[in-house]
Amino acid sequence: MSEPAGEAKGSRESLEGRAAALDATDELGKLRAQFVLDDTVYLDGNSLGALPRSVPGRVEDVVRRQWGSLRIRSWDESGWWTAPERIGDRIAPLVGAAPGQIVVGDSTSVNVFKAVVGAVRLAGGGGEGREGAGVRDEILVDATTFPTDGYIAASAARMTGRTLRPVAPEEVPDALSGRTAAVLLNHVDYRTGRLHDLPSLTAAIRAAGAVSVWDLCHSAGALPVGLDEHGVDLAVGCTYKYLNGGPGSPAYLYVRRDHQSRFDSPLPGWNSHADPFGMTPDHVPASGALRGRVGTPDILSMLALEAALEVWDDVSIDAVRTKSLALTDFFLECVEAYVLDGAVEPVTPSAHAERGSQVALRCADAGRVMRRLIEQGVIGDFREPNILRFGFTPLYVGFGDAERAARILSRTL
Ligand SMILES: *Cc1c(COP(=O)(O)O)cnc(C)c1O
């Protein structure tokens, strides 16, 4: 906050004017009409994406016709059985993956478990229960991770006889050694909005002979990821944030093609069997991405997600990234202009290369401030201990929303 507050306050008209001009030339602006929204400023799409208009009718059809009339025939005739791979292929271009490497199903938490144990098994260097351990006996985990990833990595470490070491993402290159089996990192920090350097960290992990696992919850649908291009080994992500799949919509697992034949899931359910209806006593893993499946897919949520993904049909993720950065830049500029010096402090990096699609502001009494904002129609969220979090979903948030949110924030403070 470097501008003198008194002078900056006079700029409301010019900021409103700039917002209107930016919205008028925004190529993605027309997509907002594809979502069910009202006149609140919705800046919480990084927690629960808004409802796409295509979803309610699809869910109605899935329930009434596919389930109600076709019943069991829908496993084939309505494409239920193959939905996890089909929808995985729909997500793939958004995260830079060629087809056949992503499967949809289960929660992010469960996929973190499959990926971390799978990564340790891919890395080799000592079997589970420590026979022959002593080589790759460490798992590194993002010290600032979303909690569920850390809890599950700790359990995976116990189960596989490895030691879990929390490390800040930027310190991973120094922490890597011949002892590292797997490294679990968040692409964008859920609290601060910091974007970590996936290409260079992945390269460092690979050079150390370890296996990378990236959590894309806060990047997929908000910015290009480039999984194939950057040589990521395994990745997971949720679909109810920037992908707008709906509350609890199933997550996904990416297994790089080169690893698929050796990927050994710790949850080898019958859906990942090469011949699921053979009903044999032994598990023979299917080939390809479907090795990541477990049990019967949650069809209702999954097909709601498939409908939600239609909004991406003519949208490039690069255009989304360009608008996302413009929106967060503009919001930060409005906050700097409107909010009294020192009342909030941005914790999201100002460098574009280090910024996701949210702005986090440190603020005294942040929980109460956010409650007051929500009462006034600006929906963000509060994260412990003192963070106001504003997520910018370029598909439906405009520059006018950013200006209004900053103005109401300054009034509230
Ligand atoms: C949102 C989020 C999750 C959520 O996990 P669920 O199993 O879907 O509850 C996990 N990891 C990260 C980094 C997240 O941002």
Side-chain angles (χ1 to χ4, degrees):
M1 305 288 112
S2 54
E3 294 289 310
E7 175 200 311
K9 275 194 169 149
S11 58
R12 172 171 169 187
E13 275 187 4
S14 78
L15 288 170
E16 278 181 334
R18 283 206 12 241
L22 287 163
D23 280 330
T25 55
D26 171 19
E27 303 234 320
L28 300 179
K30 59 183 186 302
L31 292 168
R32 184 182 164 95
Q34 295 192 36
F35 290 86
V36 177
L37 288 162
D38 49 28
D39 60 5
T40 58
V41 178
Y42 192 65
L43 302 181
D44 218 356
N46 54 341
S47 206
L48 179 66
L51 171 66
R53 288 194 186 281
S54 56
V55 171
R58 180 71 54 81
V59 170
E60 166 108 23
D61 179 63
V62 171
V63 171
R64 289 195 189 280
R65 186 181 59 84
Q66 298 184 10
W67 179 13
S69 301
L70 296 176
R71 292 181 287 270
I72 196 117
R73 288 163 55 191
S74 274
W75 285 106
D76 291 322
E77 290 178 24
S78 304
W80 288 359
W81 187 260
T82 51
E85 301 85 70
R86 181 176 74 243
I87 302 170
D89 282 347
R90 186 63 200 84
I91 292 171
L94 301 176
V95 291
Q101 300 173 99
I102 294 183
V103 72
V104 174
D106 312 309
S107 63
T108 306
S109 302
V110 170
N111 282 296
V112 167
F113 177 74
K114 295 179 218 171
V116 173
V117 176
V120 170
R121 292 176 174 177
L122 281 171
E128 282 170 35
R130 287 189 185 278
E131 346 55 278
V135 194
R136 298 208 175 261
D137 63 351
E138 280 185 355
I139 299 172
L140 306 185
V141 65
D142 186 337
T144 51
T145 185
F146 186 90
T148 203
D149 302 52
Y151 305 153
I152 287 177
S155 175
R158 274 204 314 280
M159 283 180 49
T160 57
R162 266 67 181 173
T163 304
L164 187 71
R165 257 178 82 191
V167 178
E170 56 277 17
E171 282 157 19
V172 162
D174 289 336
L176 287 164
S177 73
R179 294 179 58 177
T180 316
V183 184
L184 170 63
L185 294 169
N186 291 183
H187 193 193
V188 173
D189 185 291
Y190 76 101
R191 189 187 279 120
T192 63
R194 175 181 291 272
L195 171 65
H196 297 299
D197 187 347
L198 178 145
S200 83
L201 290 169
T202 303
I205 294 164
R206 164 155 298 201
V211 178
S212 56
V213 182
W214 284 94
D215 185 325
L216 310 178
C217 281
H218 283 271
S219 56
L223 51 98
V225 178
L227 290 176
D228 287 354
E229 179 188 349
H230 301 304
V232 167
D233 297 306
L234 302 168
V236 302
C238 71
T239 61
Y240 51 78
K241 293 172 184 167
Y242 294 101
L243 297 176
N244 313 305
S249 58
Y252 56 89
L253 172 69
Y254 165 89
V255 179
R256 185 174 192 74
R257 195 178 306 285
D258 324 337
H259 293 321
Q260 287 175 349
S261 64
R262 291 202 306 125
F263 179 72
D264 181 6
S265 171
L267 294 172
W270 74 294
N271 270 231
S272 67
H273 196 286
D275 179 16
F277 291 95
M279 305 285 173
T280 61
D282 296 327
H283 188 267
V284 180
S287 54
L290 38 106
R291 256 184 207 209
R293 286 178 67 156
V294 184
T296 306
D298 33 11
I299 291 297
L300 300 185
S301 310
M302 198 166 291
L303 299 188
L305 166 64
E306 185 169 37
L309 290 169
E310 287 171 5
V311 304
W312 292 94
D313 280 352
D314 300 310
V315 177
S316 98
I317 195 72
D318 292 315
V320 166
R321 175 60 168 165
T322 302
K323 180 175 171 187
S324 158
L325 288 171
L327 276 172
T328 50
D329 274 343
F330 186 66
F331 178 67
L332 285 164
E333 184 185 337
C334 293
V335 168
E336 178 155 335
Y338 291 154
V339 175
L340 279 176
D341 236 4
V344 297
E345 181 200 347
V347 291
T348 303
S350 53
H352 284 178
E354 295 175 9
R355 192 192 305 161
S357 199
Q358 76 179 45
V359 171
L361 302 174
R362 193 175 291 130
C363 167
D365 217 0
R368 208 158 58 92
V369 170
M370 184 50 74
R371 279 198 299 281
R372 292 276 296 114
L373 284 175
I374 292 170
E375 282 162 21
Q376 297 169 86
V378 175
I379 319 297
D381 58 28
F382 159 67
R383 284 293 176 267
E384 292 287 354
N386 55 2
I387 298 287
L388 300 172
R389 221 173 55 140
F390 301 97
F392 289 83
T393 301
L395 300 184
Y396 54 74
V397 173
F399 294 88
D401 294 323
E403 189 276 336
R404 213 171 115 207
R407 185 154 36 83
I408 293 173
L409 173 64
S410 75
R411 201 167 75 197
T412 305
L413 291 166

